[in-house]
Amino acid sequence: MKPIDLILRCYAEKQDHQWQAFCLDPCLAAQADSFEDAKRRLASMIREYVYDAVAGEDKAHVEQLLLHRSAPWRYWVKYYFYRALIASGAMHNEARKLFRESLPLVPQACCHNA
């Protein structure tokens, strides 16, 4: 595994007064009233997902859950489109943001009754 594999690509967009945050690898999403809350909820979902895949009930399927559960292509297209807009300086819209989350390396047993 390369260090870059530990970085999860994410984006968020505001639609109808709600922020939707998406993690593309693995495919997870969260929604909240603010960007920070949506990002926080998504980070929590990622920690829970990794725990379940590595140490929880789903550990028998860890390879499928961590290596083969990517978002559908339309979400990747949006991500790379937003990324290109940012790189070119053309994205001035505060309703779209790119961010990254780190893949948790140690399952958070403190959050579960393991």
Side-chain angles (χ1 to χ4, degrees), residues 3-24:
I4 194 69
D5 294 334
L6 302 175
I7 305 299
L8 304 177
R9 291 160 288 189
C10 307
Y11 73 90
E13 55 189 7
K14 188 175 184 180
Q15 294 185 357
D16 299 327
H17 308 290
Q18 287 279 304
W19 279 92
Q20 298 172 341
F22 302 93
C23 180
L24 301 175

Side-chain angles (χ1 to χ4, degrees), residues 49-63:
Y49 183 82
V50 170
Y51 175 84
D52 288 341
V54 174
E57 295 177 10
D58 297 327
K59 66 183 175 183
H61 308 285
V62 66
E63 183 176 340

Side-chain angles (χ1 to χ4, degrees), residues 43-82:
S44 176
M45 289 177 71
I46 292 168
R47 285 190 304 274
E48 292 282 328
Y49 183 82
V50 170
Y51 175 84
D52 288 341
V54 174
E57 295 177 10
D58 297 327
K59 66 183 175 183
H61 308 285
V62 66
E63 183 176 340
Q64 179 67 28
L65 293 170
L66 293 182
L67 300 178
H68 304 291
R69 188 167 185 261
S70 185
W73 66 269
R74 68 182 180 272
Y75 296 101
W76 285 99
V77 169
K78 270 189 179 183
Y79 173 82
Y80 282 109
F81 178 69
Y82 295 159

Side-chain angles (χ1 to χ4, degrees), residues 25-49:
D25 37 22
C27 182
L28 297 171
Q31 186 173 347
D33 291 332
S34 72
F35 168 70
E36 289 303 323
D37 284 344
K39 186 177 173 184
R40 191 174 12 265
R41 286 183 182 183
L42 185 61
S44 176
M45 289 177 71
I46 292 168
R47 285 190 304 274
E48 292 282 328
Y49 183 82

